[in-house]
Amino acid sequence: SKRIKRRVNFPTISLTLIQLSIYTTPPLFPRYILSSLIFIRIVQSSSLEKQKKMAGEKGFIGSIDQGTTSTRFIIYDHDARAVASHQVEFTQFYPEAGWVEHDPMEILESVKVCITKALDKATADGHNVDGGLKAIGLTDQRETTVVWSKSTGLPLHKAIVWMDARTSSICRRLEKELSGGRSHFVESCGLPISTYFSAMKLLWLMENVDAVKDAIKKGDAIFGTIDTWIIWNMTGGVNGGLHVTDVTNASRTMLMNLKTLNWDEDTLKTLAIPAEILPKIVSNSEVIGEICKGWPIPGIKIAGCLGDQHAAMLGQACKKGEAKSTYGTGAFILLNTGEVPIKSGHGLLTTLSYKLGPQAKTNYALEGSIAIAGAAVQWLRDSLGIIKSASEIEDLAAMVESTGGVYFVPAFNGLFAPWWREDARGVCIGITRFTNKSHIARAVLESMCFQVKDVLDSMNKDAGEKGSLNNEKGEFLLRVDGGATANNLLMQIQADLMGTPVVRPVDIETTALGAAYAAGLAVGFWKEEDIFESGEKSKNSKVFRPAMEEATRKKKVESWCKAVERTFDLADLSL
């Protein structure tokens, strides 16, 4: 068989047979060959059966990680180790300046391909995933908005991505019309009026797309974030697909009441959004439904669902008072504040950490969202051609000891927390004749770290005694994850600019792991103590400790703030 061939050491067998041919008389030689091959076959088969049995006893959990630029499917064993994965990038559409769209159908296809390829890889490596897959979890890019037809299953417009800024005029209009201005809905949903959130994108579709208007009138339109779109299709689509979302994704729409965890009736009325197009809200860890025929794993339970940043919180096992920063297309810093939502006075968002079951207590969080982090590196690669691959930026930036006075603020579509300036646009200042591409590359890395520091400083001010940032030893440790954290220089710059240690786990893809944890908890594959009390996660973590002098740090932060101020009121430059 194919699996046995991959594991038998044929050079060793050949050598053994040669030796047998030397020392064995010709009449007995074929018998020895046959006996040897049968023996090898028996041992190999026995070993494989043992592996299959062990895998079957403990099983596996799958995780769909649907991100902004790519989709992945990762299969985890009972020790939370990834045994197989596959990743597919998909198309980014930029129809106008500040607009970003995805094709929902292409996203679905990417999910199918990733599941199929990951299963093939796991099977080829001898893992009995066909019989041992217990459930799957799902995590997704948040706020990205889709409206589709119940009758045809087809999207009525491309998905409007979370970083899309086309709704700025709607936001300004509402700020003027509503009594509370930009903060009108903060009391109910914890979020300011911003282009960032799904409700504004939904309003734009309702006002500007005839297909959406007509479908709503006919009762044929349904709305969802990417998790809703995927689950609806995976559980049947037009043939009875489940129209659901989870509390964390719902918390990013501006439409869910943070305390009741239901759609807020007053908000829906104010925005004239019909309740019937909205999905049912469920917890992060419960059996939602089974995957239908036509997908690679029919009959398997979907048992966990979280927005990507909340999944990373769970993957990092962040309890009350603990914070994490995920570095991806953007950067997202969350602090678990426990069972009480804390209202921010310093530009942060009040949101959920997670709710691990229908009857489980809700953990809330303060969040600072940074629109452009890894995307700035992609910009250097794709738009400027300064680097050929994202990984090259570390070596390029390491060629200089500093930025040479260059500061880069990647406000491509405005600034999120803690500034919240939709009129901001990117700037690169401090350029002299001395400046070269290494200085710019280093400034791009520093920009990511400065933005994270801005958010953490705000968290310190907001949390106070209610949500201390210290761990048991009295030292704040920022947990980090995401693809960009593989960059050691980036992590050291982060520690230097913060003045506190940065902890990077062995498995930096904690977003997918968090979704797997949620699903595993729902089906009894793991217990909460396996996630939150296990000391295994921290054993091999790498800690980056600050080496920068305080006076240097203070001067650099002051210069960064000057650079940020230069980005304000620049939105009209493109006209």
Side-chain angles (χ1 to χ4, degrees), residues 495-499 546-557:
D496 286 340
L497 293 180
M498 284 171 44
M548 182 180 288
E549 293 183 359
E550 180 60 30
T552 303
R553 181 183 303 115
K554 183 178 179 181
K555 180 68 174 73
K556 288 181 72 67
V557 170

Side-chain angles (χ1 to χ4, degrees), residues 91-137:
T91 311
Q92 307 293 306
F93 297 94
Y94 306 100
E96 294 187 27
W99 293 29
V100 189
E101 296 178 347
H102 291 159
D103 181 351
M105 301 304 292
E106 186 182 2
I107 286 177
L108 285 183
E109 185 60 28
S110 72
V111 173
K112 284 186 178 180
V113 170
C114 287
I115 293 175
T116 301
K117 297 290 186 181
L119 289 171
D120 288 345
K121 290 176 183 178
T123 301
D125 286 339
H127 300 290
N128 183 25
V129 287
D130 291 336
L133 193 62
K134 303 299 183 184
I136 70 162

Side-chain angles (χ1 to χ4, degrees), residues 193-436:
I193 294 174
S194 168
T195 61
Y196 188 10
F197 306 113
S198 306
M200 300 298 102
K201 304 176 196 302
L202 176 56
L203 286 181
W204 187 91
L205 289 168
M206 292 169 60
E207 293 176 8
N208 294 277
V209 180
D210 290 338
V212 172
K213 296 178 189 176
D214 294 342
I216 290 177
K217 287 180 182 177
K218 296 175 182 176
D220 188 42
I222 48 178
F223 150 84
T225 42
I226 295 297
D227 59 308
T228 305
W229 167 247
I230 292 174
I231 292 172
W232 188 80
N233 280 280
M234 291 188 78
T235 57
V238 294
N239 297 312
L242 298 173
H243 189 212
V244 300
T245 189
D246 75 274
V247 288
T248 59
N249 274 295
S251 74
R252 312 299 296 184
T253 62
M254 284 185 62
L255 303 176
M256 189 190 81
N257 187 296
L258 275 181
K259 295 176 182 177
T260 66
L261 305 185
N262 294 316
W263 300 119
D264 190 82
E265 293 182 5
D266 290 340
T267 302
L268 296 180
K269 184 177 180 180
T270 299
L271 298 178
I273 293 175
E276 56 268 22
I277 72 172
L278 303 179
K280 175 186 176 183
I281 300 174
V282 299
S283 76
N284 299 126
S285 181
E286 62 179 273
V287 176
I288 297 170
E290 292 187 356
I291 298 172
C292 66
K293 292 180 180 179
W295 286 81
I297 43 177
I300 299 298
K301 296 179 176 66
I302 300 174
C305 183
L306 309 91
D308 51 9
Q309 303 315 313
H310 315 273
M313 282 285 277
L314 183 56
Q316 289 273 31
C318 288
K319 296 181 285 189
K320 180 181 177 180
E322 297 178 338
K324 70 87 198 173
S325 178
T326 298
Y327 301 75
T329 303
F332 303 87
I333 306 91
L334 274 78
L335 167 69
N336 188 329
T337 60
E339 297 171 28
V340 179
I342 295 178
K343 185 176 179 179
S344 174
H346 298 88
L348 301 180
L349 308 176
T350 305
T351 188
L352 270 74
S353 286
Y354 42 73
K355 180 180 175 63
L356 301 179
Q359 306 306 318
K361 293 179 179 178
T362 303
N363 271 241
Y364 292 92
L366 282 172
E367 174 177 343
S369 305
I370 296 165
I372 303 296
V377 178
Q378 294 173 332
W379 175 73
L380 284 184
R381 180 193 67 189
D382 301 336
S383 298
L384 299 189
I386 289 178
I387 53 177
K388 293 181 179 179
S389 66
S391 60
E392 289 180 18
I393 192 171
E394 182 173 6
D395 290 338
L396 181 60
M399 290 180 180
V400 291
E401 293 185 359
S402 73
T403 65
V406 174
Y407 287 83
F408 173 71
V409 186
F412 295 160
N413 291 332
L415 288 172
F416 287 173
W419 309 96
W420 296 106
R421 294 291 300 247
E422 293 168 7
D423 61 340
R425 290 297 180 266
V427 300
C428 188
I429 65 172
I431 298 173
T432 66
R433 185 65 182 81
F434 172 71
T435 303
N436 61 40

Side-chain angles (χ1 to χ4, degrees), residues 1-7 44-56 60 75 77 83-84 118-132:
S1 78
K2 185 186 293 185
R3 294 184 192 172
I4 290 174
K5 285 180 182 178
R6 294 181 76 245
R7 286 165 175 74
Q44 188 65 40
S45 298
S46 175
S47 175
L48 283 172
E49 288 305 316
K50 185 176 181 181
Q51 290 177 19
K52 291 178 183 178
K53 184 178 179 182
M54 289 176 65
F60 304 92
I75 301 170
D77 64 15
V83 300
L119 289 171
D120 288 345
K121 290 176 183 178
T123 301
D125 286 339
H127 300 290
N128 183 25
V129 287
D130 291 336

Side-chain angles (χ1 to χ4, degrees), residues 19 37-38 48 74 92 98 106 116 142 163 167 180 185 207-208 284 362 401 445 450 456 477 507 528 574:
Q19 291 171 336
L37 291 177
I38 291 173
L48 283 172
I74 303 179
Q92 307 293 306
E106 186 182 2
T116 301
R142 305 173 302 170
M163 68 177 75
T167 60
F185 301 108
E207 293 176 8
N208 294 277
N284 299 126
T362 303
E401 293 185 359
L445 295 184
F450 275 123
L456 286 169
L477 303 172
D507 183 0
E528 286 196 27
S574 62

